[in-house]
Amino acid sequence: QVQLVESGGGLVQAGGSLRLSCAASGRTFSSYAMGWFRQAPGKEREFVAAISWGGSTHYADSVKGRFTISRDNAKNTVYLQMYSLKPEDTAVYYCAAAYTILVLTTKHQYDYWGQGTQVTVSS
């Protein structure tokens, strides 16, 4: 069982930056693939970024070049550094985990989810 707790959300102006953190419980964090998803009001939850246990990454086209996912296995934490934020990035951001060596980009592939953290980008 893995418990995930996101933090770092908030209100930021367009063009600004934020760093989200996701702290995971459990002693086998390094064996989990991690992902970030987001959900805007009235929309489906969508993939943002993912990182494998080995450090391979994958990004949605909409955030490529602006967002960076990373992990610190010693701290059981995965991060999402967001730069050049746009109003369309406004959403609740969720952290997810799955016990696999793969990089996962589909929400149905993940087994564990955090409660989410709100990111609001004003124009």
Side-chain angles (χ1 to χ4, degrees):
Q1 191 79 6
V2 175
Q3 292 185 328
L4 306 171
V5 179
E6 301 98 333
S7 61
L11 173 64
V12 63
Q13 289 187 330
S17 62
L18 281 175
R19 189 178 80 157
L20 306 183
S21 299
C22 173
S25 65
R27 294 177 294 176
T28 59
F29 173 78
S30 60
S31 299
Y32 281 79
M34 303 297 296
W36 285 98
F37 290 75
R38 65 187 182 187
Q39 188 167 17
K43 294 189 176 181
E44 294 286 321
R45 191 170 300 189
E46 66 175 5
F47 169 74
V48 175
I51 186 167
S52 72
W53 64 268
S56 299
T57 59
H58 189 79
Y59 297 92
D61 288 342
S62 59
V63 306
K64 201 171 293 183
R66 299 189 298 122
F67 291 9
T68 301
I69 188 171
S70 61
R71 65 190 297 160
D72 185 338
N73 290 335
K75 296 182 177 180
N76 280 15
T77 301
V78 63
Y79 304 98
L80 185 68
Q81 179 68 57
M82 306 184 292
Y83 295 104
S84 302
L85 283 161
K86 305 175 182 180
E88 51 263 44
D89 294 319
T90 295
V92 177
Y93 283 70
Y94 296 90
C95 173
Y99 189 69
T100 178
I101 65 171
L102 303 175
V103 177
L104 304 178
T105 62
T106 305
K107 58 187 177 183
H108 302 295
Q109 296 173 305
Y110 285 89
D111 302 309
Y112 305 99
W113 293 85
Q115 83 289 348
T117 186
Q118 177 71 47
V119 172
T120 303
V121 184
S122 63
S123 57

